[in-house]
Structures are given as structure tokens and as C-alpha cells.
Amino acid sequence: MASRTALSHGNIDLGHVDNHGFGNRFLKIFRGIKRVLAAPKTLKDADVIIARNFDLLFIAWVVRKLAGRKSTPLVYECLDIHGLFTRYGMVGRVMRRFERFLLARIQLLIVSSPGFIESYFLPIQKYSGPVSIIENKMWFEPPAQKRIKSKRSKTRADAKTLTLGWVGSIRCATSLDILLEAAGEMGPDLQIDIHGNIHRHVLGDFDKNIEGAENVAYHGAYTYPGDLDEIYASCDLVWAQDLWQRGANSDWLLPNRIYEASWFGCPSVAVAGTQTGKRVQTSGLGLTINAATAQELVKTLRPLKRGQINAMSKALLAMPDENFRQTEQDIAGALAPVLPT
């Protein structure tokens, strides 16, 4: 994990933390506190402190208190509701109580999806303080923005096989099962192309599972944002649904891939009833299936005509860039409640 600052003295690296191994994680958190306190100018010059996710919120609260900067606004940016906070039993209760303690001491909560407020922070954590939403849209630094200014504009009118992409952090075993089963059912009529980083601690048998499936291909990790144009241009549709933590985080989030795919004119496929599915339906970003099953996916994909897909793509490309790309105005507006006037 790392802390970024816009100040001239630059970044303070807080160290690397793996996605698992919580004993080591707690040790790294306390090391992070020590590193921030060793650079007091960072806190002294700060107009606002933004903590991205819970680990950094704890670090930020501790160092703000120890450095005597209680008047500096503290912002909690929550991009996901970690499974520890939705667990039943003692561990879940302790983590939720700890988070409530810190929520009472922040000046602003930022979330990437309204589903987190509606389904977790309001009903479960009883949070009633200030809230802003910064959706997980694409962000291009100015040089990259110039390079990626040409959107996907071509169609795949000559393609006989329907290509469904799965792009990004590949960590959902349920999604993999659904896509593999759909590929087996549709055979040569469907190609599944997977692009991104495989979370091996979750999908340990990934290579074995796709081995032998002639219409399923893993293309490895990619460079962001330079490779996105080529990836989405090669797909007719993308699988946008996260099913990793059903009934909780996966049902509430809005994944980055719906913004990426839409910006490049590639329709998304999501599950109705989830926050992702609702956004895809209400904003015209693609298609939804009634249930998270291969049968429902196949039922939706089989009757699709090339003209329908191209029409959806054309409609996406006609939408304003700001629907899918983060702007400085978005961020400034979200931070307005705590920024100096």
C-alpha cells in the first residue's frame, strides 16, 4: 500500500501488503504509521487527509492524532466492503465496531457506488455523516489521454463467432464456472477471451480449468491504459459482473470494467438485481441476465444478431466521455465539503 500526496515533497511509500495474510498486514500497518510520522511536513502542509480503504484510514487517524492535526479534515474513501466487515460471528462484529469507531471521527465518506451507502453504511453501520460518490471511472493522465483519444469506432461486421471478454482483476470462481459452461454449451459460436491479472490465491486451478477448452483463451496481463483499445476492439461484449462475494460487496459495487468497456464502445453483460446490473440497464450500457447461471447467459447470447451488437456499440460511443472518464471537476466536487473555501 502507498500514500500519495500532491505536495512537492512527493510520495511516502508505506510498503507492500498482499491481499491475504492478515497477521502480516497488521504489522505493515504499524510500520506505515511509523513512516508517515517520520515525515511530519506531509501532515503539516495537508489541507485534507484522504485514506483509501480501511487500512489507510486507521493509519491516517493514528498519525493525525499523534501529530496534533485534529483540525485537518479526514476523508474515508471506501472502494470495496471487505469480507471481514460482512462476516457473521465475533470477527465480523469486532471489525464493524472498529469501523464505526473511525466513521464517527471522519469528516467525509467517499464511496465508488451508491450501493455501499444503501446496503451497508446506512442500514448496518448507521452512518449518517456527509457522503460523496466518486465512481470508479477511467482516469487518464494528460499524456495518456492524448494517446487514447481515438475510441473504438470500427464494427466487427465480418466476425462469425461471438467474442465475450473478461477483462481486469480475474478473481471470481463463479464467473469462471459460468463462462466455461457457456463456452461448452455454445461451442464454436462463442469465444471467451480473458485479459488481466489472475488472483492465484483464489483461482489456484485456473490454468487447469481452461486447459482443453478450445474456445477459451487467456491472454495474460496488459498495460493500462495503452492496451485497452486493442482489447475491447477484439470483443463483442464483456462480462462485467463480479460474483466473488455474492449477497454483499459483489452485489453492491460498480466495477471499473463497465466504464472502460463503455468508453471503448463495448457493451457489458451483468446480472439483474445487482448494482452493476441496475446501472447497465438504466444507463443503456449493455445486457442483463436474470440469474447468475450459464443457462441464462446462453439464453441471452444465442439470439443476438451482429446488427444488435453494433447498434449498442454505436449508442455507447455517442455518450459523453464524462459518463465513463473521471474528470478533475468530479473529484473537486466530491471533496468540496472538506476543502478550504
Side-chain angles (χ1 to χ4, degrees):
M1 58 188 175
S3 170
R4 286 193 176 184
T5 173
L7 302 174
S8 60
H9 45 268
N11 181 69
I12 300 172
D13 188 348
L14 301 185
H16 175 77
V17 175
D18 293 327
N19 290 320
H20 52 293
F22 292 104
N24 182 56
R25 195 179 190 112
F26 286 123
L27 177 62
K28 293 293 181 68
I29 286 174
F30 286 103
R31 287 182 180 173
I33 292 172
K34 184 178 178 180
R35 291 185 182 186
V36 178
L37 289 174
K41 184 172 172 54
T42 299
L43 294 176
K44 180 182 177 182
D45 293 347
D47 294 315
V48 61
I49 301 171
I50 303 173
R52 201 173 200 198
N53 280 340
F54 187 76
D55 293 6
L56 297 182
L57 176 61
F58 178 66
I59 292 175
W61 174 72
V62 171
V63 298
R64 185 181 70 160
K65 190 177 183 68
L66 293 178
R69 301 291 298 176
K70 292 182 181 180
S71 62
T72 304
L74 177 58
V75 178
Y76 178 22
E77 183 180 16
C78 183
L79 303 178
D80 286 291
I81 309 298
H82 196 283
L84 282 174
F85 297 96
T86 56
R87 283 177 62 171
Y88 293 103
M90 180 62 72
V91 172
R93 287 196 297 271
V94 169
M95 293 303 296
R96 287 190 292 275
R97 183 173 297 179
F98 189 15
E99 186 180 48
R100 281 196 297 272
F101 173 84
L102 293 178
L103 283 168
R105 287 154 178 81
I106 65 172
Q107 283 63 60
L108 177 66
L109 172 65
I110 294 177
V111 295
S112 57
S113 168
F116 293 150
I117 300 297
E118 298 163 3
S119 300
Y120 177 74
F121 284 108
L122 275 178
I124 296 175
Q125 293 296 60
K126 309 301 182 186
Y127 177 77
S128 58
V131 175
S132 292
I133 297 178
I134 300 180
E135 294 184 12
N136 197 16
K137 298 178 182 179
M138 304 176 71
W139 174 261
F140 294 150
E141 297 291 343
Q145 187 174 328
K146 291 180 181 179
R147 292 197 300 271
I148 310 298
K149 64 182 179 180
S150 60
K151 292 184 181 181
R152 172 184 178 235
S153 57
K154 65 180 181 180
T155 62
R156 288 165 45 81
D158 57 340
K160 292 183 173 58
T161 299
L162 181 71
T163 298
L164 178 63
W166 188 17
V167 184
S169 292
I170 310 301
R171 64 181 183 180
C172 179
T174 302
S175 290
L176 180 61
D177 290 342
I178 290 172
L179 296 176
L180 288 175
E181 189 176 342
E185 176 71 20
M186 293 185 65
D189 293 332
L190 177 65
Q191 172 68 31
I192 304 292
D193 281 347
I194 303 172
H195 305 263
N197 291 312
I198 309 298
H199 289 232
R200 300 284 176 178
H201 67 287
V202 178
L203 300 176
D205 295 329
F206 174 82
D207 298 307
K208 181 180 178 181
N209 287 336
I210 69 170
E211 186 179 0
E214 295 184 359
N215 55 339
V216 178
Y218 173 53
H219 299 275
Y222 56 86
T223 301
Y224 183 95
D227 293 340
L228 293 180
D229 193 8
E230 183 177 351
I231 288 172
Y232 286 113
S234 69
C235 300
D236 296 304
L237 303 158
V238 291
W239 176 254
Q241 190 66 54
D242 186 314
L243 299 166
W244 185 35
Q245 296 168 313
R246 289 301 307 271
N249 187 64
S250 294
D251 288 359
W252 307 333
L253 58 74
L254 290 174
N256 177 256
R257 56 173 62 97
I258 66 171
Y259 306 103
E260 287 182 2
S262 299
W263 197 80
F264 285 101
C266 194
S268 296
V269 180
V271 177
T274 65
Q275 196 73 29
T276 305
K278 292 174 186 175
R279 176 58 63 87
V280 168
Q281 283 182 316
T282 59
S283 298
L285 306 185
L287 306 167
T288 58
I289 58 178
N290 292 327
T293 66
Q295 292 74 24
E296 286 294 325
L297 179 59
V298 170
K299 187 167 71 173
T300 298
L301 297 182
R302 274 201 189 281
L304 277 179
K305 305 297 183 185
R306 182 63 51 184
Q308 292 174 275
I309 298 171
N310 289 339
M312 287 189 288
S313 177
K314 184 177 180 180
L316 288 170
L317 293 172
M319 294 181 186
D321 282 4
E322 291 74 18
N323 287 13
F324 314 119
R325 181 174 57 82
Q326 199 71 257
T327 67
E328 292 181 2
Q329 290 75 22
D330 293 334
I331 298 171
L335 291 174
V338 293
L339 288 176
T341 55

